[in-house]
Amino acid sequence: MELGQRLKEERESRSFSIEEISEQTKIQKRYLIAIEEHDWSKIPGNFYVRAFIREYAEAVGLNGEELIDEYANDLPSGDDRSYEYMTPSRKNSKASRTGNKIFAFLPKLLVFLLVIGIGFAIWYSVVNFIQPAMSGNGEEDTQEIISAPEQEEEEDDEATDEDEDNGASEEEENENEEEVEEINPSLVVQDVNEDGTPRTVYELIDADSFELTLDTTDETYLEVTTIENGGEPNQPFTGMFSTSDAPLEIELEGESFEVELNIGLASNFDIEVNGIELEYELDPDENVHQRVIIEWENEMEED
């Protein structure tokens, strides 16, 4: 009996319709029908053949891994998907938009500097040439009377400048103290393993909480597994993850956590931890299917 026929008979024995299986697994009906008809050409990639079969089997009460092993010779191997529809990296788009804004601002900046230069030239001409020429015919007594208040004003200005400098120094010292006390969380790569399914281990440091945000611009298979304080694993999400599910936010509080992400299409999948965008250590365009593990231990409470 073929794999697809076995799944179909198991579904019908449980009185499940294709629509019910599609709603439960979030797999499109046309892919489920292709599995039942043993037609792998209608499924977008060989990796998804196994992922869809695993989800289908679990939905009708069968062990997906055992079923895949049993029919391994009937399934396509490798991952021959071309991903021609992939969208450009959003980082490149952001950089492009930033560059365009800078070039658009340059003409205005040049005009502003030109106006300041002309104004300075006019002021310099008045102070050094026009004003001395107009006051040259005046009496010396008048100059002496005028110079005395100017000297007092200069002394007052110097005293005011010293006060301002002292105040500014105190403010800078306070800001420096605040900067020393402020600690920003960061992600550090701990391990990279390219054997089998590529895997990268990150560690979140200098953080008193764990906030995970997952987003995608395409449909991808996703498994999210969390382990709290070394306890039993929990899966807040498993199945096909699409734009209708995004963004998925997971907030964890405790002493330590480990989060493992099994991502089917990493090239269009974004990960943020405590507002930090995770940079893939392994190129997501070359390593489409990969696992990402994020470890966190709340050392802030101990301090």
Side-chain angles (χ1 to χ4, degrees):
M1 180 186 298
E2 291 185 344
L3 171 62
Q5 184 64 27
R6 183 172 175 183
L7 290 172
K8 181 178 180 180
E9 289 184 359
E10 190 67 28
R11 172 178 65 80
E12 292 176 345
S13 68
R14 295 174 180 270
S15 300
F16 288 152
S17 66
I18 283 290
E19 288 78 10
E20 291 173 329
I21 299 297
S22 177
E23 182 177 354
Q24 182 177 348
T25 61
K26 296 184 180 179
I27 300 174
Q28 298 180 23
K29 291 191 297 181
R30 59 192 178 105
Y31 296 150
L32 297 175
I33 294 173
I35 292 173
E36 291 184 351
E37 294 178 351
H38 208 73
D39 186 0
W40 312 132
S41 64
K42 295 181 180 179
I43 298 177
N46 294 337
F47 167 76
Y48 285 99
V49 171
R50 286 171 168 74
F52 290 168
I53 290 173
R54 188 183 296 110
E55 291 294 315
Y56 193 149
E58 297 292 340
V60 297
L62 298 176
N63 188 306
E65 294 295 340
E66 293 180 358
L67 199 64
I68 290 174
D69 291 340
E70 181 179 349
Y71 290 91
N73 294 332
D74 297 336
L75 300 177
S77 60
D79 190 354
D80 58 0
R81 187 175 181 183
S82 62
Y83 303 105
E84 295 178 354
Y85 56 87
M86 289 191 298
T87 57
S89 171
R90 293 190 298 171
K91 296 177 187 175
N92 294 337
S93 298
K94 292 178 182 177
S96 178
R97 290 196 296 269
T98 303
N100 291 336
K101 290 181 179 179
I102 293 174
F103 284 117
F105 179 72
L106 283 176
K108 297 180 181 179
L109 178 61
L110 293 175
V111 172
F112 178 75
L113 294 176
L114 180 60
V115 172
I116 291 178
I118 294 173
F120 178 80
I122 294 174
W123 173 82
Y124 185 84
S125 300
V126 170
V127 171
N128 290 278
F129 299 102
I130 300 177
Q131 186 173 354
M134 294 177 62
S135 59
N137 295 327
E139 296 181 356
E140 295 180 357
D141 294 339
T142 304
Q143 293 179 353
E144 292 177 357
I145 294 173
I146 293 175
S147 63
E150 287 179 352
Q151 184 176 2
E152 293 177 357
E153 289 178 0
E154 289 177 357
E155 292 176 354
D156 292 338
D157 292 338
E158 290 176 357
T160 303
D161 292 338
E162 291 178 357
D163 294 338
E164 290 178 354
D165 291 339
N166 293 333
S169 300
E170 293 177 358
E171 290 179 358
E172 290 176 358
E173 291 177 358
N174 294 334
E175 290 177 357
N176 291 333
E177 291 177 358
E178 292 177 358
E179 290 177 358
V180 171
E181 295 175 356
E182 183 179 359
I183 300 176
N184 296 321
S186 60
L187 288 169
V188 179
V189 176
Q190 296 294 331
D191 183 54
V192 178
N193 189 340
E194 299 187 48
D195 295 336
T197 300
R199 183 193 67 182
T200 308
V201 180
Y202 299 81
E203 182 181 5
L204 176 65
I205 61 175
D206 298 331
D208 58 2
S209 63
F210 190 105
E211 299 176 3
L212 183 65
T213 303
L214 308 177
D215 201 356
T216 185
T217 58
D218 202 345
E219 186 178 48
T220 178
Y221 178 77
L222 174 66
E223 288 181 359
V224 181
T225 304
T226 62
I227 300 176
E228 178 180 358
N229 300 327
E232 294 296 324
N234 179 42
Q235 283 194 330
F237 187 94
T238 179
M240 298 307 298
F241 185 74
S242 62
T243 54
S244 61
D245 301 307
L248 175 62
E249 297 181 350
I250 300 174
E251 184 173 353
L252 306 174
E253 294 181 356
E255 295 180 359
S256 65
F257 278 97
E258 179 179 308
V259 177
E260 180 173 353
L261 306 175
N262 182 9
I263 308 165
L265 184 58
S267 56
N268 287 330
F269 189 81
D270 295 330
I271 304 170
E272 281 192 5
V273 182
N274 289 33
I276 306 169
E277 184 172 358
L278 183 141
E279 299 284 348
Y280 286 99
E281 187 69 13
L282 300 174
D283 189 346
D285 292 326
E286 297 180 0
N287 300 276
V288 177
H289 177 207
Q290 59 177 283
R291 295 176 182 269
V292 172
I293 299 174
I294 306 171
E295 298 175 345
W296 170 67
E297 183 173 354
N298 190 358
E299 298 179 351
M300 306 296 288
E301 293 184 354
E302 298 179 0
D303 297 339

